[in-house]
Amino acid sequence: MIVAVDADSRDTAEADHLLYELLEAVDQPVVACTHMVHGGDRPHVAVSLAVAADIAEPIRALLADRFAGVAITQPGASQPELSGPSQLVRGAYVAAVEAALGTAGRVVRWPGHEQGRGVLRAAELRARAGIDHLEAVGGLPITDDALVDTLDFLRPVRREGQLVLQLQPAAGNLLIPFELQHQQKCCADH
Amino acid sequence: MGHSHAAGHGHGHGHGHGHGHGHDHSHDHHHPNTELDASTLAALDESVPDSDLSPTEVSRRGLLRSAGILGGTAALAVTGAQFAAATAPKDGWIFNHGNRPNVWLAGDHHIHTQFSSDGMYRVIDQARHAAAYGLDWLVITDHGGATHARIGVDLVNPQIKAARSELKDTLIFQGLEWNIPAAEHGTIFVAPGSREVEVLKQFENSYDGSVKNAGANTAANEALAVSGIQWLGQQVDKRRVADALFLANHPARNGIDSPHEIRNWRDADPRIAIGFEGAPGHQAGGLPKGIGTGGARGIYGNSPNANSFPAYPPESYRTWGGFDWMTATVGGLWDSLLAEGKPWWISANSDSHNNWNETARRPDGSSQEQFDRDGRYMDPVYGNQVLPTNSDFWPGFYSRTHVGADRRDYLSVMEGLRNGRMWVDHGMLAKGVEVEVREVGKRYGEPLGGALVVRKGRPVELVVRITAQTMPNWANFVPTLNRVDVIQGAVTGHVSDRDTFAAPKTKVVRQWDTSGKRGTFELVHPLGRVEEASYIRVRGTDGHRSQPGYHGAAVDPAGPALDVVGDADPWVDLWFYTNPIWVLPK
């Protein structure tokens, strides 16, 4: 099933934290993603969880007092169960669609993510962490034995059902993730 | 000096998109369902039978059906108020016949002081260093925000006036760094005068994205930005200030300046909105650990977020040879504006807040609370330690914007900027760069930013006159200009999609090996007989770091290289870029 939640997270860091909370209620393999919601009143970030078991109850309980839109989909159901304020239900629905299709989304947890730590050779990282493609910005080629420092923080993206990890060159002939955990907030007035 | 440029050499062209032409740019970037592509929307729409769907759409519908998602599409209908940005583009080409400049004045339009909540220096600290490092003009641009709008914009003015009288040969403008609603930051500045503070203060209180809580990427906030630019133009029309300019800063840093926003700003009032930073400041940000902070050059180290324009690729979030991706990419966003025939210029600045290897610090007790109360931090004191982890250089230390002016005065600098009569460099790569396009056999042509209007079929040529550097730069070596490139693009007229950020008919057409050249030398590139409208721009490099451009080696065989996070020493990767010159057949 897919459970998608739009709690109007301002950015990916805030959405990650929402996911960490929701993941507390899940004790089995899960694909957890963030999804950009650009339409509507204000751009923000929604999240989704795709799991085999039924996690609707614990997630509902967790979100009971939250201002959030929720889309809960059961395989084969004629329609999803939608709840929450309408502008956030919209984002949750978009997230559910992207999660179902695997066409978009930034992946926070997936089976194999726990293997994506430390410094690994590219081929090893792909095989161990279950990543389909490694891709470097600027068209840099990546050989199987290229060293990747995961910085213990990987956020691959989904593209056409595949898991793609974007990398960038770094000092010391290493590759590091394109997305770094600490994003520079610009200036004090922001 | 007035603003006769809009009329001065208005060019009647044959592309059929003159003033009377309707503006059919649809603002479908505010389509309520921008996240989902057309085939997903088709797959979701159960009123469309399977037989009318493409194989991809059928397969998507199958996935969505088995996931139990079909049947919920009513959720998508909920959107906020959608409306086209209230812009009234002043269409048609607005070109100048440029005068050859009498004097080149180097400057920096992006400098912070103790009146910024993340700044430290007095105005005189910045101005004296700028003058010592060879700048002729500078703009003080403290961040817009509640405290600055309340008192900072007033309090900085006496410091600026005092610096003007202390440094008689240095032109010191008052401006501010605008939080552009729905977008990045930008420099706003005005000509000095009795109302400079009044106009800036009113602007900031009415249009700053932080003051107005208008940072989010919404249509209403985009419209507020457009109104702000138009308002500034009105203040010039009313003679409250003699002149005003806006340039967007670090445009690609977070992917939040979408192509249509940049076009909307420019069209809001092309007299006021004249360009963006071709190279951002914070150029020490990529110095490796040990001698620097080990971060990203330009502090361009982020990845997309909620307000980012989704179509920008990861490459756009990094600098290339120290330059912003929009400018560094041949056939990229900047070229897409030039190919439309929209004058739009580039600059290079320090964005100085806290400089590399600084030994001063804010004094004890100078806190955020103290800043919010007083509108400024207390004066810096000696700090007994050196800070190599600061990301900025002093104004003039590394980045320079060279403006061709008629005279050494405030209005002439602003007019030179508006006319695009400027080139930029890093690390004092060249002592002088003069570019013109002329009819073969004629003595004089059009300078940077100008448009040469010639009879069809006449042969024209590009002349690049370089004066090699003889003086050491501020890292104390004499830089060598080893290569000069010519970039040419066809002028293809207005684009229907205002989010266009590619110019497929622009490419590098000439590369000169200039290694070993001394003194002043001329490079001449024949442009053939003029048949179509085109533009030409020039760049040069020390040649240390290159890679094929974002659009491939056929477009740019040896362009600037992607800057490596934590390993981008700016002194061994130097470039200059000029603004363009147009060639228009009569």
Side-chain angles (χ1 to χ4, degrees), chain A residues 11-12 36-39 41 43 73 75-76 78-80 90 93 96 137-138 166 168 178-179 183-184 186-190, chain B residues 32-33 35 44 66-70 75 78 80 117 143-144 179 210 218 253 302-303 305-308 314-315 318 547 565:
Chain A
D11 54 26
T12 51
M36 303 293 187
V37 183
H38 296 289
D41 285 336
T73 79
S78 62
Q79 58 182 52
R90 185 186 166 278
Y93 187 76
V137 296
Q166 298 169 320
Q168 62 181 333
F178 167 67
E179 178 179 337
Q183 300 278 299
Q184 179 88 20
C186 62
C187 312
D189 277 315
H190 272 205
Chain B
N33 295 312
E35 303 90 352
L44 281 167
S66 62
I69 288 181
L70 284 181
V78 182
S117 54
H143 288 291
N179 295 293
S210 176
T218 67
R253 180 174 66 172
N302 283 350
S303 48
N305 225 309
N307 287 305
S308 304
E315 283 79 4
R318 299 290 175 271
Q547 75 173 71
V565 171

Side-chain angles (χ1 to χ4, degrees), chain B residues 108 110-111 121 126 133 281-285 287 349-357 390-399 569-571:
Chain B
D108 183 323
H110 190 175
I111 298 167
Y121 303 109
Q126 293 285 28
Y133 289 128
H282 306 309
Q283 289 281 330
L287 277 168
N349 307 288
S350 65
D351 200 355
S352 167
H353 290 70
N354 301 283
N355 296 326
W356 179 70
N357 276 358
N390 288 344
S391 296
D392 313 339
F393 290 126
W394 286 106
F397 194 85
Y398 185 73
S399 303
D569 186 332
W571 295 103

Side-chain angles (χ1 to χ4, degrees), chain B residues 153-169:
Chain B
V153 66
D154 302 286
L155 295 176
V156 72
N157 185 259
Q159 280 203 17
I160 289 174
K161 284 182 168 159
R164 283 174 188 156
S165 63
E166 183 70 33
L167 300 166
K168 299 270 190 255
D169 293 332

Side-chain angles (χ1 to χ4, degrees), chain B residues 409-469:
Chain B
D409 64 28
Y410 287 95
L411 292 176
S412 297
V413 167
M414 295 182 88
E415 193 63 8
L417 284 163
R418 175 178 294 108
N419 291 342
R421 214 158 48 204
M422 50 171 161
W423 61 282
V424 304
D425 73 344
H426 280 163
M428 290 171 60
L429 179 58
K431 196 168 197 174
V433 176
E434 301 227 23
V435 184
E436 61 181 21
V437 174
R438 65 188 179 198
E439 268 189 74
V440 172
K442 291 259 168 82
R443 176 128 183 235
Y444 297 113
E446 277 294 322
L448 292 177
L452 180 74
V453 180
V454 288
R455 201 166 296 158
K456 229 176 176 175
R458 288 288 177 85
V460 297
E461 62 191 5
L462 168 75
V463 182
V464 184
R465 200 171 297 111
I466 306 271
T467 303
Q469 191 53 269

Side-chain angles (χ1 to χ4, degrees), chain B residues 1-3 190 199 230-245 269 271-272 414 418:
Chain B
M1 41 130 245
H3 285 92
V190 298
V199 167
Q230 289 167 337
W231 184 86
L232 274 176
Q234 290 153 12
Q235 307 320 302
V236 176
D237 292 338
K238 290 181 191 162
R239 300 255 155 217
R240 286 183 78 198
V241 284
D243 205 352
L245 291 173
D269 192 334
R271 303 172 304 170
I272 305 296
M414 295 182 88
R418 175 178 294 108

